[in-house]
Amino acid sequence: MTNMHVSLPGLELKNPIMPASGCFGFGREYAQFYDLSKLGAIMVKAVTPEMRRGNATPRVAETESGMLNAIGLQNPGLEAVMEHELPFLADYDVPIIANVAGKTPEDYVEVAAKISQAPNVHALELNVSCPNVKEGGIQFGSDQEQLAMLTRAVKEVSEVPVYVKLSPNVTDIVGMAQAAEHAGADGLTMINTLIGMQLDRRTGKPLLANGRGGLSGPAIKPVAIRMVYDVSQAVSIPVIGMGGVSTAEDALDFMYAGASAVAVGTANFTNPMACMDIIHGLETFIHTENIDIGDIVGRSYRACETLSSR
């Protein structure tokens, strides 16, 4: 039997595939299609102290090779998630990674302190990279000192390991990754969306009410692969990679680049079975090649080191 198990801080994964936060809600809709226990983990929708209705509509637009969104961290709020969403997910044998967001450091600390006590929450994902909110989000993820401050504050109150979700909308993502690591982060997740804009061909106006939005999907995969490749060699904490993953081959690329596990985002909207298809494809590859899942991680940079040493 093929062994797909991956061990990360706070997380014992049956396999390295999980849905990315923001693209899976709290799993209720996808539970109609397959048993959520088959996933490696679930990164739930961002949770803020209060309920948020999100940005004005329209807030989603298709692009030539991806999707542009400006949802604005819509969620039912901490209390509702604790009372309704996490108990629903407790019926499944799958670790939960709770995505924590807010406007201020105090918001992050409040959510982290409480949600990390939920029995089925095994790790937190610190949302410091959302480009679609006016307060919080990327303002913490684009400044190394603020990122370190927030990471330390959340680490002090969290009962579970903390993963920091990095933004690609910075000039030095390696520096941001190292700042998070030095502040005590247990792992990194990367990347979030790239800031973009789509215009109406007739009027010239932005299609999104918010004007700008976050670009996801196949268009951003080469950017994400390059960033995972650079960061994974510069830090000693694990990286969960994401950005344009829709096939098992895409997941392999991220693991070759140094990711220990892979999250699937936009592909869930076009194919609700995307995560299952990727798990099966990856399992077939591991079995056919007769290799350990750990042998894949970082294969690309090991290959480059071999070539450069010749």
Side-chain angles (χ1 to χ4, degrees), residues 113-269:
K114 187 161 186 179
I115 207 166
S116 67
Q117 297 180 32
N120 56 335
V121 168
H122 290 71
L124 302 184
E125 182 182 50
L126 201 56
N127 190 334
V128 291
S129 50
C130 178
N132 301 320
V133 290
K134 294 179 180 178
E135 298 173 289
I138 199 168
Q139 78 181 63
F140 296 114
S142 56
D143 180 281
Q144 292 185 23
E145 290 186 8
Q146 288 203 54
L147 178 65
M149 174 274 296
L150 190 61
T151 302
R152 288 192 194 96
V154 170
K155 278 288 293 180
E156 285 182 5
V157 300
S158 177
E159 302 285 339
V160 296
V162 175
Y163 291 68
V164 176
K165 188 169 189 176
L166 298 180
S167 169
N169 302 299
V170 297
T171 55
D172 180 12
I173 195 165
V174 170
M176 298 301 295
Q178 292 173 329
E181 181 181 31
H182 295 156
D186 299 282
L188 302 170
T189 64
M190 56 186 292
I191 60 174
N192 207 318
T193 55
L194 286 152
I195 298 173
M197 182 178 275
Q198 187 85 334
L199 305 179
D200 185 306
R201 295 274 164 71
R202 184 176 60 84
T203 65
K205 294 181 178 178
L207 286 179
L208 300 181
N210 200 51
R212 297 169 177 79
L215 179 65
S216 61
I220 73 169
K221 182 188 159 192
V223 177
I225 290 288
R226 190 272 294 175
M227 290 185 164
V228 168
Y229 183 91
D230 289 348
V231 165
S232 62
Q233 296 176 80
V235 299
S236 58
I237 53 178
V239 172
I240 300 175
M242 66 195 80
V245 177
S246 59
T247 66
E249 290 75 17
D250 293 334
L252 275 172
D253 287 344
F254 274 89
M255 298 186 78
Y256 284 158
S260 298
V262 177
V264 181
T266 304
N268 289 298
F269 297 134

Side-chain angles (χ1 to χ4, degrees), residues 58-63 66-70 198 207-208 215:
R59 53 189 187 183
V60 175
E62 286 190 46
T63 70
M67 184 183 80
L68 203 63
N69 91 84
Q198 187 85 334
L207 286 179
L208 300 181
L215 179 65

Side-chain angles (χ1 to χ4, degrees), residues 44-65:
V44 296
K45 187 92 177 72
V47 181
T48 54
E50 76 295 345
M51 180 191 76
R52 286 198 187 184
R53 298 188 183 280
N55 294 324
T57 58
R59 53 189 187 183
V60 175
E62 286 190 46
T63 70
E64 287 78 359
S65 54

